[in-house]
Structure formats: structure tokens, C-alpha cells
Amino acid sequence: METMTFPRYSPDDIISYLRLHILEGAEARNLVKGDVFGNPRLEVLHLIYLRILQKVCGIRLEHAYMMPLNVDIMYPQIHEGFLPVCNMYIHMEHLLPMCQINDFQIADVLSPKTKRTVRFLSGIVNFVNFKELRRVDYLKLQQSYKLAMEKKQHLEAVNREATLKLEKLNTVPAEHEAEIKQLTESIRELEQQLRQDCRRKQTPLQEETSQKKADIAERNQNLNEYKVSLAALKEEQEQLKSKIVESPEERKSYNEMMKEKIKKLKKEKQEATERYEYYRDLVDVLPSCQVELQLYQKKMEIQGENVERLASVLSEIRNLEDQLESSQVELKKANTDEKPLKRVVTAKREKLPTAEIQLKKIRENVELHKCTVLEHFNKVQEERDAVCDKVTAIRKEIKQIKDQIEQLKEDAEETAKKAKEIHLILKAVVDKCHESLLKAVKASAASRAEKIDEIREGLFSLNLL
């Protein structure tokens, strides 16, 4: 388990995280490092696990003190003290595999070790951080999904309104049918007139355009021929200039003749260009006429579609008339079948009072049974409430006794500490007294031996005398 998928935090980081994110109020203020690590206090560690389960898994506090419903136990009062620990172990065993920890044991709850608790809390802290990050993304997705659903509902409502409007527009009321027929007839007449006018206008226009194109082609050919002749004349002029030496008068007359010819050619050219432009304008007018013709054709097509719609509406009206006739026939049949049915109804109405009397009796019996059941239920509820009150009173007494035991334990620990301190002090005093007594005994023994020696010497001297 040394190769983990989460970082191992230090005890100080874990304690600060628990104070900030898991515990609240006095629990966070009173939390100390020694309560969780080293020689941990079991009640503090169990409280931390319980708060983690409440935050991460959504487990309520009363779930920790509830007996499992799928187990039949004779004396559940015996297991009340062990129930919170057992339930907490079960929930932690479900939670920790999600944190990539698979070796959690009951010993980690009853007698925890520092290294294992550090690893467990590191995995839980990492999982809680990951859960918070994912929760933010999930909330964003949920918000976007809600907005998309609202938009979808709005668009569906708009779509329904649009479909209703379309249906209203497509349905032809009976009041306007005569007007629609007149309009369709007038539309057909107009279409025929338009077609005839278009044909009349189109044929002379086409003839004129073809004639103009032929004239333009002829004029272009003439222009080309004139250009070729001009180029040939210029070449001849240059050749003649090099060969012939003319008199100035003949040259002037020849130049004037050539200038007059050039002027005539220019005039003819201008006339040809003007005619070309005039014919080009006529040709340019043709596309606009064609566009108008196309518009008329489109209108004709739209009118044809309207006529088809009218025909479909008329067919639907005929179908509805057929349905009306069939429904009238069925009504006649129903009227003929009504008489025997009325006889059956009268017979059943005669039987109704007896059935009502029987129903009243059944209802009275049901109400009596209901009253007895309710009385029994009320008795059971009262007994249950009394038992619950007793259980709550017993639990309160147990809690008070536990608190008294804890206080007595704390007092006993304090008195034991004080007794130990007094014992140590008394022991030190007694040791000092023993040392002083030994010194006094040794000193008295030495003085006694000296005195005995002196007495013996005195007696020996007396005996000598």
C-alpha cells in the first residue's frame, strides 16, 4: 500500500484541514494534534469520522444509533454501546474504497495507529477536495442543462403557437369559400391574359433583336473592311511617298482629298458606333423583359399551388360531408336501439334501491371495522409512545451514567496523579530521613566505640593501679 494514488499529508496539515472544512464551532477550536495522533482519544477520532460521513455520504446522526432492520436480535439493549462504532465501521468500509483505501479494519476504529490514521485521513482529504472540484463542474453543467431545458420548453411553446397559427391560416372558413372561388376564376383569367400578352410581346421583340443583331454584325464587318482598307492605303501612301516626287500643289490637293475621305470615314464610324450603342441598349433591355416574364411565370406557379390547395380543401369538405351523412345514419340506428336500452335502464333503476340498501349495510360494517381498527391502532400507538418514552428515559440515564463514569474516571486520574506526586515527594523525604538516620547511627556508633575504648582504657589503668 506504499504506492498510493494520493499524496500523504502531514499531521499539521490534516488538523488544519479538519478545523477549516470538517469540524465547526467548539469542536474545531478544541481539536488538538494529540487528540488524533500519538495517543489518540477515541471519542475525538470517532467524532471526526462521523462528521466526514455526514459531509461526504450524507449520513444523519441518528443512523449511527439505529439497529439494522434485517437482523433479529433478542436483547438489543446489550448492543447499544457498540452500535455507533459498528455502524461507523460499516459506513467507513463503504467510503474508503472510493478513496483508494482497501485495508480498513475494525482495529483502526478501536485501537488506531498513527501511520494508518494519517494514511486514511490523507486519502479522505484528497477525496473530499476532488469531490468539491467535481461538484463545481457538476453544478455548472446542471445550470446549463436547466437553461437548455427552459429554452427548449420556450421554443416548443413558440412552435406550438406557430403551428396553431399555420393551421388557422391554412383552414378556409365557410364564409369565404364563394369569394375564393371567384378569386380562383379571376386568377385563371388573368393568367391566360398574361400568357397571351407575353407571347404577343415576346415574338416581335425576338424578331427585332434578331434583326438588330444581324445589322450590328453587318456594320462590324463594314468597319473591319474600312479599317483594312485604311491600313492598305496608308501603306500605299508611304510607298508612293518614297517613290514619287510630287509638286506641292498636287500634294496639297491629294492631302485635301485624303482629309475629306478621312472625315467621311470618321462620320460613318460615329454613325456606326451610335447605331451600335442604340442596338446594345435594346439588347440590354431584353434581360429585364425576361426577368418580368420569369416573375409572371412564378406568379402563375403560385396561383397553381393555391388552386391545388383549394382543390384539397374542397376534397376535405366532401369527406366531411360524407362523414356527416354516415353519422346521421348511425344516429338513426342509435335512436332505434334506444328503446330497448331504456327498458333495461328502467329495470336496473327498479333494482337500484335494493343495491343501495346493501351498499349502506356494507358501509356501516366497514365503518365499524374501521373504528375497531383505529381503536386498536391508537392503543398500539399509545403503547409504542410509552415504550419510546421509556427508551428515551433509559438512554438519558445511560448518558448521565456514562458522563458520571467519565467524570469519575477523570477525578480518579487526577487523584492518582496527585497521589503519585505525593508518593514521590514522601519517598524523597523518607530517603533523606533514612540517609540522615544512617549517618546519625554511624556517628553514634563511632562515638560509642570511642567512649567504650576510653572506658576500657580507664578501667585498664585502674586495674593496673
PDB file of all heavy atoms in Angstrom, residues 282-299:
ATOM      1  N   LEU A 282     -30.934  48.296 -76.696  1.00  0.00           N
ATOM      2  CA  LEU A 282     -32.097  47.423 -76.920  1.00  0.00           C
ATOM      3  C   LEU A 282     -31.825  46.004 -76.417  1.00  0.00           C
ATOM      4  O   LEU A 282     -32.697  45.351 -75.820  1.00  0.00           O
ATOM      5  CB  LEU A 282     -32.440  47.401 -78.418  1.00  0.00           C
ATOM      6  CG  LEU A 282     -33.064  48.680 -78.997  1.00  0.00           C
ATOM      7  CD1 LEU A 282     -33.165  48.559 -80.518  1.00  0.00           C
ATOM      8  CD2 LEU A 282     -34.436  48.945 -78.393  1.00  0.00           C
ATOM      9  N   VAL A 283     -30.589  45.546 -76.658  1.00  0.00           N
ATOM     10  CA  VAL A 283     -30.229  44.191 -76.186  1.00  0.00           C
ATOM     11  C   VAL A 283     -30.212  44.137 -74.659  1.00  0.00           C
ATOM     12  O   VAL A 283     -30.598  43.139 -74.041  1.00  0.00           O
ATOM     13  CB  VAL A 283     -28.860  43.782 -76.774  1.00  0.00           C
ATOM     14  CG1 VAL A 283     -28.354  42.504 -76.126  1.00  0.00           C
ATOM     15  CG2 VAL A 283     -28.983  43.587 -78.277  1.00  0.00           C
ATOM     16  N   ASP A 284     -29.740  45.250 -74.032  1.00  0.00           N
ATOM     17  CA  ASP A 284     -29.720  45.300 -72.549  1.00  0.00           C
ATOM     18  C   ASP A 284     -31.118  45.288 -71.964  1.00  0.00           C
ATOM     19  O   ASP A 284     -31.332  44.825 -70.831  1.00  0.00           O
ATOM     20  CB  ASP A 284     -28.986  46.562 -72.074  1.00  0.00           C
ATOM     21  CG  ASP A 284     -27.494  46.485 -72.375  1.00  0.00           C
ATOM     22  OD1 ASP A 284     -26.973  45.348 -72.436  1.00  0.00           O
ATOM     23  OD2 ASP A 284     -26.857  47.558 -72.540  1.00  0.00           O
ATOM     24  N   VAL A 285     -32.085  45.835 -72.709  1.00  0.00           N
ATOM     25  CA  VAL A 285     -33.470  45.841 -72.209  1.00  0.00           C
ATOM     26  C   VAL A 285     -34.030  44.425 -72.159  1.00  0.00           C
ATOM     27  O   VAL A 285     -34.913  44.115 -71.351  1.00  0.00           O
ATOM     28  CB  VAL A 285     -34.339  46.765 -73.084  1.00  0.00           C
ATOM     29  CG1 VAL A 285     -35.821  46.610 -72.752  1.00  0.00           C
ATOM     30  CG2 VAL A 285     -33.910  48.213 -72.917  1.00  0.00           C
ATOM     31  N   LEU A 286     -33.520  43.551 -73.020  1.00  0.00           N
ATOM     32  CA  LEU A 286     -34.049  42.184 -73.093  1.00  0.00           C
ATOM     33  C   LEU A 286     -34.029  41.436 -71.756  1.00  0.00           C
ATOM     34  O   LEU A 286     -35.011  40.806 -71.384  1.00  0.00           O
ATOM     35  CB  LEU A 286     -33.269  41.385 -74.154  1.00  0.00           C
ATOM     36  CG  LEU A 286     -33.889  41.318 -75.556  1.00  0.00           C
ATOM     37  CD1 LEU A 286     -32.948  40.630 -76.506  1.00  0.00           C
ATOM     38  CD2 LEU A 286     -35.221  40.610 -75.516  1.00  0.00           C
ATOM     39  N   PRO A 287     -32.892  41.440 -70.980  1.00  0.00           N
ATOM     40  CA  PRO A 287     -32.901  40.693 -69.699  1.00  0.00           C
ATOM     41  C   PRO A 287     -33.971  41.150 -68.732  1.00  0.00           C
ATOM     42  O   PRO A 287     -34.587  40.325 -68.037  1.00  0.00           O
ATOM     43  CB  PRO A 287     -31.503  40.954 -69.123  1.00  0.00           C
ATOM     44  CG  PRO A 287     -30.664  41.347 -70.266  1.00  0.00           C
ATOM     45  CD  PRO A 287     -31.555  41.986 -71.263  1.00  0.00           C
ATOM     46  N   SER A 288     -34.230  42.489 -68.671  1.00  0.00           N
ATOM     47  CA  SER A 288     -35.294  42.967 -67.770  1.00  0.00           C
ATOM     48  C   SER A 288     -36.640  42.404 -68.195  1.00  0.00           C
ATOM     49  O   SER A 288     -37.452  41.987 -67.351  1.00  0.00           O
ATOM     50  CB  SER A 288     -35.311  44.503 -67.760  1.00  0.00           C
ATOM     51  OG  SER A 288     -35.613  44.996 -69.056  1.00  0.00           O
ATOM     52  N   CYS A 289     -36.858  42.353 -69.536  1.00  0.00           N
ATOM     53  CA  CYS A 289     -38.121  41.764 -70.019  1.00  0.00           C
ATOM     54  C   CYS A 289     -38.201  40.287 -69.636  1.00  0.00           C
ATOM     55  O   CYS A 289     -39.257  39.779 -69.232  1.00  0.00           O
ATOM     56  CB  CYS A 289     -38.219  41.916 -71.540  1.00  0.00           C
ATOM     57  SG  CYS A 289     -38.368  43.639 -72.085  1.00  0.00           S
ATOM     58  N   GLN A 290     -37.060  39.606 -69.795  1.00  0.00           N
ATOM     59  CA  GLN A 290     -37.041  38.179 -69.416  1.00  0.00           C
ATOM     60  C   GLN A 290     -37.308  37.985 -67.926  1.00  0.00           C
ATOM     61  O   GLN A 290     -38.009  37.059 -67.505  1.00  0.00           O
ATOM     62  CB  GLN A 290     -35.687  37.572 -69.791  1.00  0.00           C
ATOM     63  CG  GLN A 290     -35.514  37.375 -71.288  1.00  0.00           C
ATOM     64  CD  GLN A 290     -34.147  36.873 -71.658  1.00  0.00           C
ATOM     65  OE1 GLN A 290     -33.283  36.763 -70.794  1.00  0.00           O
ATOM     66  NE2 GLN A 290     -33.933  36.592 -72.939  1.00  0.00           N
ATOM     67  N   VAL A 291     -36.744  38.906 -67.082  1.00  0.00           N
ATOM     68  CA  VAL A 291     -36.986  38.832 -65.623  1.00  0.00           C
ATOM     69  C   VAL A 291     -38.454  39.015 -65.317  1.00  0.00           C
ATOM     70  O   VAL A 291     -39.043  38.299 -64.483  1.00  0.00           O
ATOM     71  CB  VAL A 291     -36.119  39.893 -64.886  1.00  0.00           C
ATOM     72  CG1 VAL A 291     -36.532  40.004 -63.425  1.00  0.00           C
ATOM     73  CG2 VAL A 291     -34.641  39.537 -64.989  1.00  0.00           C
ATOM     74  N   GLU A 292     -39.078  40.001 -66.017  1.00  0.00           N
ATOM     75  CA  GLU A 292     -40.514  40.216 -65.810  1.00  0.00           C
ATOM     76  C   GLU A 292     -41.311  38.978 -66.209  1.00  0.00           C
ATOM     77  O   GLU A 292     -42.258  38.572 -65.520  1.00  0.00           O
ATOM     78  CB  GLU A 292     -40.978  41.423 -66.631  1.00  0.00           C
ATOM     79  CG  GLU A 292     -40.505  42.754 -66.044  1.00  0.00           C
ATOM     80  CD  GLU A 292     -40.953  43.929 -66.883  1.00  0.00           C
ATOM     81  OE1 GLU A 292     -41.619  43.696 -67.911  1.00  0.00           O
ATOM     82  OE2 GLU A 292     -40.645  45.080 -66.508  1.00  0.00           O
ATOM     83  N   LEU A 293     -40.888  38.383 -67.338  1.00  0.00           N
ATOM     84  CA  LEU A 293     -41.561  37.154 -67.761  1.00  0.00           C
ATOM     85  C   LEU A 293     -41.424  36.048 -66.715  1.00  0.00           C
ATOM     86  O   LEU A 293     -42.380  35.323 -66.412  1.00  0.00           O
ATOM     87  CB  LEU A 293     -40.970  36.686 -69.108  1.00  0.00           C
ATOM     88  CG  LEU A 293     -41.447  37.437 -70.351  1.00  0.00           C
ATOM     89  CD1 LEU A 293     -40.574  37.080 -71.536  1.00  0.00           C
ATOM     90  CD2 LEU A 293     -42.896  37.119 -70.634  1.00  0.00           C
ATOM     91  N   GLN A 294     -40.201  35.925 -66.134  1.00  0.00           N
ATOM     92  CA  GLN A 294     -39.994  34.909 -65.086  1.00  0.00           C
ATOM     93  C   GLN A 294     -40.861  35.182 -63.866  1.00  0.00           C
ATOM     94  O   GLN A 294     -41.413  34.261 -63.251  1.00  0.00           O
ATOM     95  CB  GLN A 294     -38.519  34.882 -64.690  1.00  0.00           C
ATOM     96  CG  GLN A 294     -37.620  34.253 -65.746  1.00  0.00           C
ATOM     97  CD  GLN A 294     -36.155  34.355 -65.375  1.00  0.00           C
ATOM     98  OE1 GLN A 294     -35.811  34.902 -64.342  1.00  0.00           O
ATOM     99  NE2 GLN A 294     -35.295  33.837 -66.259  1.00  0.00           N
ATOM    100  N   LEU A 295     -40.967  36.484 -63.500  1.00  0.00           N
ATOM    101  CA  LEU A 295     -41.835  36.837 -62.352  1.00  0.00           C
ATOM    102  C   LEU A 295     -43.273  36.438 -62.627  1.00  0.00           C
ATOM    103  O   LEU A 295     -43.969  35.884 -61.757  1.00  0.00           O
ATOM    104  CB  LEU A 295     -41.748  38.341 -62.082  1.00  0.00           C
ATOM    105  CG  LEU A 295     -40.438  38.851 -61.452  1.00  0.00           C
ATOM    106  CD1 LEU A 295     -40.408  40.371 -61.485  1.00  0.00           C
ATOM    107  CD2 LEU A 295     -40.323  38.361 -60.005  1.00  0.00           C
ATOM    108  N   TYR A 296     -43.728  36.741 -63.874  1.00  0.00           N
ATOM    109  CA  TYR A 296     -45.096  36.341 -64.223  1.00  0.00           C
ATOM    110  C   TYR A 296     -45.267  34.826 -64.143  1.00  0.00           C
ATOM    111  O   TYR A 296     -46.289  34.312 -63.670  1.00  0.00           O
ATOM    112  CB  TYR A 296     -45.439  36.846 -65.624  1.00  0.00           C
ATOM    113  CG  TYR A 296     -45.712  38.336 -65.690  1.00  0.00           C
ATOM    114  CD1 TYR A 296     -45.025  39.151 -66.595  1.00  0.00           C
ATOM    115  CD2 TYR A 296     -46.673  38.922 -64.852  1.00  0.00           C
ATOM    116  CE1 TYR A 296     -45.258  40.517 -66.654  1.00  0.00           C
ATOM    117  CE2 TYR A 296     -46.911  40.282 -64.920  1.00  0.00           C
ATOM    118  CZ  TYR A 296     -46.203  41.091 -65.805  1.00  0.00           C
ATOM    119  OH  TYR A 296     -46.458  42.422 -65.860  1.00  0.00           O
ATOM    120  N   GLN A 297     -44.239  34.086 -64.599  1.00  0.00           N
ATOM    121  CA  GLN A 297     -44.315  32.621 -64.532  1.00  0.00           C
ATOM    122  C   GLN A 297     -44.382  32.132 -63.083  1.00  0.00           C
ATOM    123  O   GLN A 297     -45.127  31.205 -62.756  1.00  0.00           O
ATOM    124  CB  GLN A 297     -43.089  32.025 -65.233  1.00  0.00           C
ATOM    125  CG  GLN A 297     -43.168  32.099 -66.753  1.00  0.00           C
ATOM    126  CD  GLN A 297     -41.904  31.622 -67.422  1.00  0.00           C
ATOM    127  OE1 GLN A 297     -40.940  31.282 -66.759  1.00  0.00           O
ATOM    128  NE2 GLN A 297     -41.905  31.620 -68.755  1.00  0.00           N
ATOM    129  N   LYS A 298     -43.565  32.783 -62.197  1.00  0.00           N
ATOM    130  CA  LYS A 298     -43.607  32.401 -60.768  1.00  0.00           C
ATOM    131  C   LYS A 298     -44.974  32.658 -60.163  1.00  0.00           C
ATOM    132  O   LYS A 298     -45.509  31.851 -59.398  1.00  0.00           O
ATOM    133  CB  LYS A 298     -42.548  33.180 -59.988  1.00  0.00           C
ATOM    134  CG  LYS A 298     -41.141  32.664 -60.206  1.00  0.00           C
ATOM    135  CD  LYS A 298     -40.145  33.476 -59.408  1.00  0.00           C
ATOM    136  CE  LYS A 298     -38.717  32.983 -59.652  1.00  0.00           C
ATOM    137  NZ  LYS A 298     -37.726  33.809 -58.917  1.00  0.00           N
ATOM    138  N   LYS A 299     -45.527  33.834 -60.519  1.00  0.00           N
ATOM    139  CA  LYS A 299     -46.877  34.131 -60.030  1.00  0.00           C
ATOM    140  C   LYS A 299     -47.884  33.098 -60.504  1.00  0.00           C
ATOM    141  O   LYS A 299     -48.775  32.677 -59.762  1.00  0.00           O
ATOM    142  CB  LYS A 299     -47.292  35.522 -60.496  1.00  0.00           C
ATOM    143  CG  LYS A 299     -46.605  36.643 -59.732  1.00  0.00           C
ATOM    144  CD  LYS A 299     -47.051  37.995 -60.238  1.00  0.00           C
ATOM    145  CE  LYS A 299     -46.332  39.124 -59.496  1.00  0.00           C
ATOM    146  NZ  LYS A 299     -46.728  40.456 -60.011  1.00  0.00           N
TER     147      LYS A 299
END
